[in-house]
Amino acid sequence: MSDFNLSNLGFDQQHIWHPYTSAIDPLPCYEVSGASGVNIELATGEVLIDGMSSWWAAIHGYNHPVLNHAASKQIEKFSHVMFGGLTHQPAIDLCRKLVKMTPSGLDRVFLADSGSVSVEVAMKMALQYWACQGAAEKHKFVTVRNGYHGDTFAAMSVCDPVNGMHSLFSDVLAQQLFAPAPQTRFDQPWNEDDIAPLIDIIETNQHNIAALILEPVVQGAGGMRIYHPEYLRRARQVCDEFNILLICDEIATGFGRTGKLFACEHAGISPDIMCLGKALTGGYLTLAATLCTEDVALGVCQGEPGVFMHGPTYMGNPLACAVANASLDILMQGDWKQQVINIGSQLKAELAKCKTLDTVADVRVLGAIGVVECKKAVDVAQIQKSFVENGVWIRPFGKLVYIMPPFIIDPSQLGKLTAAIYQALK
Ligand SMILES: *Cc1c(COP(=O)(O)O)cnc(C)c1O
């Protein structure tokens, strides 16, 4: 087959994998020619208002002058050097900032190259920690249903086993322990029964559990569910009581998205290990981090082999660290707080009327996250087309039509997003 005469989109369809797509019957893709602020420009000339922040990442918008400057300044010095035996200012600055801004006690930073890898690293840390304490039988993980932690093997083993994308692999995945997903909504009165099944599992299996892993307060790709912070506070207590580690996966929730810098802050807790990614570089480059306490770090390095056994080739990539530093500096100026409050109140006001549609099962909002859950799975290709025709970029999955726009979006742009959702579901 001669591919040389194919158009861009034709070549793309025949030769390029996209996330979760078929090679036989691929969904249509839209070619992007530029992006700036909250706009994504298509090669066909249309300009779309972005509702996704490119999967939670582009919190300051695209083509940001400060981030651009940080990238070009660093690229003129050096883009990358190995992190084994070498270190550099961009990584040191970044880790200083992360230690300072994250919940107390998270004092050691492992720089990873994607969210999934940071989850692998967190799980390996927990396993190695117990093995080095002479408790190698503590090798299972407990989690809640409807979670999503990434696409690599350890991460897949703690994703929701049914609605997760990975049930096909269940025979080869490590068998973990699953409690029901938290049911009490963020603003409902707390119901202690909600956490009873988790406590039960932990009590029964405490001698075999390395850690509890969960997404604090907002479950992302496993269902866009928002739950009561008391669940998290109780989970912290139960982990302490039964001597298991707590891993909080803040890859989606971190850096202001839920209205707090980190979702753990809604519950006033610190985990033993925390995963960060997605918005870390403001959506510019792939970079993630796994932070842990001094106790975990020292525990991991006691006895044999005496070192933590992980080290990606591109660990601590200076270019990515430099952009992450600039992104965190923008966050530290503090404008995000009011921006997220404003986005949240507008989302609450404008998405409320979707509840009146008989195709809609639920509407929920926290921080700069708006979710409309439909009664049935939406036809992605068709709804995507209608969104593009309406000048917005929103990418639903399953029954969920949801937005988490860049923090810099203005009220009229956000109004176009919410109107397009109502229009499409009506
Ligand atoms: C996106 C995500 C991951 C995986 O991150 P990648 O960078 O896609 O590997 C893990 N956990 C959560 C909560 C996420 O939202």
Side-chain angles (χ1 to χ4, degrees):
M1 153 184 20
S2 151
D3 299 315
F4 304 103
N5 297 320
L6 285 172
S7 66
N8 273 355
L9 290 180
F11 183 87
D12 186 286
Q13 285 224 335
Q14 285 205 6
H15 294 280
I16 308 182
W17 292 107
H18 284 264
Y20 305 102
T21 50
S22 165
I24 300 162
D25 184 22
L27 292 180
C29 268
Y30 299 87
E31 186 181 339
V32 173
S33 56
S36 71
V38 296
N39 291 331
I40 296 177
E41 297 136 35
L42 299 185
T44 46
E46 289 123 303
V47 176
L48 310 180
I49 296 169
D50 175 35
M52 307 305 291
S53 299
S54 285
W55 281 336
W56 313 82
I59 51 176
H60 311 302
Y62 302 94
N63 210 348
H64 193 291
V66 174
L67 303 186
N68 288 1
H69 179 67
S72 44
K73 232 175 63 185
Q74 183 58 39
I75 220 166
E76 281 164 15
K77 293 185 196 146
F78 58 102
S79 297
H80 184 67
V81 290
M82 62 189 280
F83 214 46
L86 297 174
T87 193
H88 45 76
Q89 197 72 52
I92 294 166
D93 288 346
L94 176 60
C95 295
R96 262 195 228 278
K97 285 174 192 159
L98 290 176
V99 167
K100 187 159 173 226
M101 77 199 292
T102 50
S104 68
L106 296 166
D107 292 339
R108 295 269 176 165
V109 189
F110 187 102
L111 295 170
D113 28 19
S114 74
S116 300
V117 171
S118 80
V119 170
E120 299 282 321
V121 164
M123 294 174 76
K124 275 174 81 170
M125 276 180 182
L127 294 176
Q128 199 174 326
Y129 175 83
W130 290 116
C132 293
Q133 314 301 300
E137 70 285 359
K138 282 171 85 70
H139 61 80
K140 277 195 184 293
F141 291 87
V142 60
T143 186
V144 293
R145 287 185 186 267
N146 284 102
Y148 176 77
H149 297 284
D151 294 346
T152 52
F153 273 78
M156 281 198 290
S157 77
V158 286
C159 289
D160 188 286
V162 181
N163 89 355
M165 307 145 187
H166 309 307
S167 50
L168 176 69
F169 303 104
S170 53
D171 285 350
V172 288
L173 294 178
Q175 297 300 302
Q176 315 291 15
L177 301 160
F178 290 89
Q183 298 300 317
T184 316
R185 294 171 74 116
F186 187 85
D187 41 18
Q188 272 177 341
W190 168 246
N191 179 357
E192 181 68 15
D193 293 346
D194 200 6
I195 200 162
L198 176 70
I199 298 177
D200 202 42
I201 293 175
I202 291 180
E203 199 167 2
T204 313
N205 300 279
Q206 51 181 296
H207 302 297
N208 297 112
I209 300 177
L212 165 65
I213 178 168
L214 40 69
E215 297 155 280
V217 182
V218 178
Q219 297 187 290
M224 297 299 300
R225 301 174 78 262
I226 303 167
Y227 65 85
H228 202 293
E230 185 64 17
Y231 190 97
L232 195 59
R233 220 174 58 78
R234 293 285 293 117
R236 173 72 274 184
Q237 290 171 349
V238 174
C239 287
D240 290 340
E241 188 182 342
F242 293 102
N243 202 24
I244 68 175
L245 299 174
L246 175 63
I247 303 172
C248 283
D249 179 349
E250 291 249 13
I251 292 168
T253 50
F255 305 111
R257 180 57 65 183
T258 68
K260 303 277 186 192
L261 205 42
F262 300 98
C264 285
E265 295 171 24
H266 288 288
I269 62 127
S270 283
D272 300 292
I273 303 176
M274 181 157 131
C275 300
L276 297 173
K278 291 205 160 98
L280 177 56
T281 63
Y284 266 52
L285 289 144
T286 178
L287 183 70
T290 310
L291 283 85
C292 72
T293 61
E294 199 68 2
D295 174 56
V296 169
L298 299 181
V300 158
C301 301
Q302 271 163 16
E304 288 300 315
V307 297
F308 179 55
M309 298 301 281
H310 208 97
T313 306
Y314 280 93
M315 186 170 185
N317 177 253
L319 191 52
C321 289
V323 178
N325 275 316
S327 177
L328 297 188
D329 288 345
I330 297 173
L331 272 183
M332 284 305 143
Q333 290 161 12
D335 295 341
W336 67 270
K337 286 184 204 155
Q338 196 56 48
Q339 290 166 339
V340 170
I341 290 172
N342 295 347
I343 292 169
S345 31
Q346 192 179 343
L347 286 174
K348 273 195 179 138
E350 293 179 359
L351 290 179
K353 73 173 181 181
C354 290
K355 276 189 221 167
T356 61
L357 300 171
D358 36 306
T359 48
V360 170
D362 189 33
V363 174
R364 38 192 189 260
V365 172
L366 181 70
I369 309 168
V371 185
V372 180
E373 182 170 335
C374 298
K375 289 178 182 153
K376 284 196 250 147
V378 300
D379 177 341
V380 176
Q382 187 210 319
I383 200 170
Q384 191 92 87
K385 191 156 166 279
S386 97
F387 283 142
V388 170
E389 282 161 9
N390 277 306
V392 299
W393 182 248
I394 300 171
R395 179 124 180 120
F397 71 84
K399 297 177 185 169
L400 300 164
V401 180
Y402 63 105
I403 50 176
M404 55 290 194
F407 298 167
I408 57 160
I409 196 165
D410 72 33
S412 72
Q413 294 164 326
L414 186 56
K416 280 195 81 172
L417 290 173
T418 58
I421 292 177
Y422 181 75
Q423 195 59 37
L425 297 179
K426 198 176 73 165

